[in-house]
Structures are given as structure tokens and as C-alpha cells.
Amino acid sequence: MSSLWQRVYEVTRYAQQHKLQISIPTDATLVHDSGYTFCVRVARSLLLKKSPLEAALEANDQCTNNEKTTKPLQDPQMVAENPFRPYDKAMCVDSHSETDYVLLLNKFNVLNNHLLMISQKFETQTSHPSLRDISALLRYFQRLSTQDSPGRLLGFYNRGLYSGASQPHKHFQLVPLDSVSFPLVDVLDTYARNHEEGKFGHHPDVPFKHAFAVFPHKITSQSLDDPQVADTVHKTLMNALEYTGTLLKERENFEKEASVSKEDLDSGLRSLVVVSRDDDGTEDRHEIVISESKAPSYNFLFTREWLFVVPRRAESAGGFSVNSLGLVNSLFVKTDEQKKKLIDEFGCAKLIQEVTFPRQE
């Protein structure tokens, strides 16, 4: 058995025995809507956490809705504790002092064997994945992609305020794929198998704005520890962001906001202050500007065979939040009542349509 998977199972057993992991089993309901299949789960553990980015986004939206007021907020900042610094040592699967990353078991998991790769030093979730990030992520992919793995791995990153990111500290997520939970993955896999390697552009069966790339066979067949593989994946990601217009939008908005007056900035909530602490109690404070235009949101998903990038225009619609997994038709709600409302009234396809941009041919 893979030593890393053995460690995952050991940490899981310990966390469950000591009630450190909040995991409530849920049944999957398959829903057919507008020609697509969706997997909807009730994840009651989500009721137990309110993320700093969710709170900041709600407060910022409240400011926007009341933008006509002439009186600024008394406190234009929110302060949040960083749960990843220090991280919970009991949830640690892998850590090396010579690397910049730690692999953790997700404390609020909604799927089995849900892992997080976090940066040891504070970096914001509004930053792009760096080449260093991709190299570390692929090394973990390599160590976890073994015959005894519970499934092929899906990696994902929620970038920005509207991406469904739960924490402001930079983190990537890994989950084993199964035959039920991620219906659109089957569609992407089929296209990747039947089309030219290195194919880049958009997938004909995905109804929203996106970029899809099939990795060349020379990458998928060799060790992911190879620096050339990380360089190719990172360049492909940057090309995908250019293709979707995300990087262009970011550059244009930085130029526009450079001329914004102080009076305009004083009209509402401007930042989230994240408090990080070292093991010795040393405290650092990091300020994140609450500005979607400065860091346009997107979801980045990938397997060993392909990469999928989806720009976001909203974090939620109809009261339903969507993160990266929602873009492969895996949706989570907090209660049975929400599940009924989503399926019978609002609609799964409508939800995805309202949090993404229209597809452009």
C-alpha cells in the first residue's frame, strides 16, 4: 500500500475517533436537467462553518446594495483568524521542513479522502497558482496516483471572492473521483480520449464560458516529478486564463482602479485582515483587498489528462453557493429543504448558468 495513502487513512481514523473531523455521510441524488446530469448532496457539516471570505463577501455586498449612503462604515475592515497558520497538526498527512507546503485532511469534508495542500507561509487565495504551487501539487499527484488509490484524482483551486473559496489562505484541494459524484468529468474524459493531444480551446458540450486543454501524452505518461511537466502545466493554465479573458480583465481593472479617488474607496468595506500565528505565538497580519475587479474569480480543475478553467461572475445564485466541484455538476446544499428547492424550483442548470459567463463561440 502506498505509504502516503496509508498515512491518509491513519489520520482519518484518528480524526474520527477523536471527533476532530466533522463528517456526516450523505446520499447522492442524481438529477437530469436541460440535457445534463447533476449530483446533489446534502452536506450538513457546512452548517457548522462560516468562512471568512463568505462573511466578507456578504458584508461587501451589503455595502454595494447601500452604496447611495453618504456615511462610510465605522469599521471598513473585518478581522479573521487563519485556520491554516497554525494548522491543526492532528490533521497533517505530510509535511517537510524543506518544502513550502503541507498536505492536510479536510476537517469539514463533504467527500471521503478530501485533502488540502496549503502553503506554509501566508499567501492569499486571490493570487494565481504559481509554478512552485503547480510543482508541489504534481508531486502529491504522483505520490497519490497509485494502484491502491481509491480513485483517479481531481485537483482544484477556487481563486477569488466569487469562486466559492472558503478560506483566504492559499490552498489547493484533491479528491478521488468516483462514478457518481462528478457527472461532467465523464464528458470531459470522453472528449480528452477522442481528440488530439495538446488540444486547447473550448469543449463543445460545456454550455458556459471556459477553457479546456488536453495534455500531451508525453506529459501524462511520464513522472509528474519532472520539472518540465510542471512548467508545461503552468504555461497551459496561464494560456487558459488568457483564452478566457481573465488576465486581460485583470490588467484593465488594475489600470482603472489606479485612478479611483480616496473618497470612492471610503464608501464601504475595503479589506479583510487575516491574523496568522506561528507555533511560538508570533502574530502576523495580512490585509486582503475586497475587490473582485482586482482579482477576477475563476475555478481551476485538472486531472492527469486535462485542465479546465471557468471564469466566475457570482459566488452564488438563489441562495446556493458553487465552488469548483459545481462546475463538474457536483452540487452541495446544507439542508433537505434547500435540496428540494434547488431540484424542484430553482434548477441545477440555471444555478450554473447564473454563476458563470455565457459561452462565446
Side-chain angles (χ1 to χ4, degrees), residues 129-148:
S130 65
L131 176 58
R132 191 177 72 253
D133 295 333
I134 296 298
S135 296
L137 199 57
L138 291 178
R139 284 196 295 271
Y140 278 126
F141 243 74
Q142 180 73 21
R143 294 177 63 189
L144 292 166
S145 297
T146 55
Q147 290 184 348
D148 45 44

Side-chain angles (χ1 to χ4, degrees), residues 111-342:
L111 296 166
N112 290 332
N113 302 308
H114 187 166
L115 303 172
L116 306 175
M117 187 192 83
I118 67 168
S119 57
Q120 294 210 47
K121 296 180 180 179
F122 180 82
E123 293 183 59
T124 174
Q125 193 75 6
T126 56
S127 62
H128 296 296
S130 65
L131 176 58
R132 191 177 72 253
D133 295 333
I134 296 298
S135 296
L137 199 57
L138 291 178
R139 284 196 295 271
Y140 278 126
F141 243 74
Q142 180 73 21
R143 294 177 63 189
L144 292 166
S145 297
T146 55
Q147 290 184 348
D148 45 44
S149 169
R152 271 175 65 225
L153 286 177
L154 175 69
F156 60 97
Y157 179 67
N158 304 314
R159 192 264 188 162
L161 295 174
Y162 294 165
S163 67
S166 60
Q167 298 295 340
H169 185 123
K170 195 174 198 179
H171 62 286
F172 295 79
Q173 304 186 54
L174 295 168
V175 293
L177 291 168
D178 59 47
S179 59
V180 175
S181 299
F182 316 96
L184 195 67
V185 166
D186 291 337
V187 176
L188 300 177
D189 281 344
T190 299
Y191 187 83
R193 285 193 298 268
N194 297 328
H195 286 75
E196 179 184 355
E197 65 179 43
K199 176 73 175 179
F200 183 83
H202 65 260
H203 191 297
D205 296 322
V206 175
F208 44 80
K209 188 175 184 180
H210 69 283
F212 182 72
V214 180
F215 293 133
H217 178 68
K218 64 181 180 180
I219 288 181
T220 61
S221 62
Q222 69 187 98
S223 171
L224 299 182
D225 290 334
D226 189 327
Q228 291 185 343
V229 174
D231 185 63
T232 299
V233 171
H234 186 255
K235 286 180 178 177
T236 303
L237 171 60
M238 292 298 105
N239 288 336
L241 295 175
E242 288 282 8
Y243 181 84
T244 58
T246 301
L247 294 183
L248 176 62
K249 178 180 177 183
E250 191 169 288
R251 288 192 292 267
E252 289 176 343
N253 285 329
F254 263 113
E255 293 172 0
K256 288 178 183 177
E257 292 197 10
S259 61
V260 174
S261 68
K262 182 178 184 302
E263 289 73 19
D264 290 334
L265 290 175
D266 282 340
S267 63
L269 179 71
R270 299 194 307 278
S271 64
L272 170 68
V273 176
V274 182
V275 180
S276 301
R277 291 183 174 84
D278 292 331
D279 290 333
D280 62 4
T282 303
E283 180 181 296
D284 288 326
R285 289 180 171 243
H286 309 273
E287 184 176 2
I288 301 175
V289 175
I290 307 299
S291 171
E292 167 62 14
S293 60
K294 282 194 173 182
S297 298
Y298 60 83
N299 297 109
F300 159 48
L301 303 92
F302 71 97
T303 66
R304 196 176 179 118
E305 296 77 28
W306 48 257
L307 174 153
F308 187 46
V309 172
V310 183
R312 294 289 295 275
R313 62 173 171 173
E315 189 272 340
S316 62
F320 305 103
S321 296
V322 178
N323 67 4
S324 286
L325 296 182
L327 280 308
V328 286
N329 294 4
S330 184
L331 299 171
F332 299 89
V333 294
K334 298 178 181 180
T335 65
D336 291 320
E337 291 74 20
Q338 275 197 333
K339 178 180 177 182
K340 179 176 176 57
K341 180 182 177 183
L342 174 61

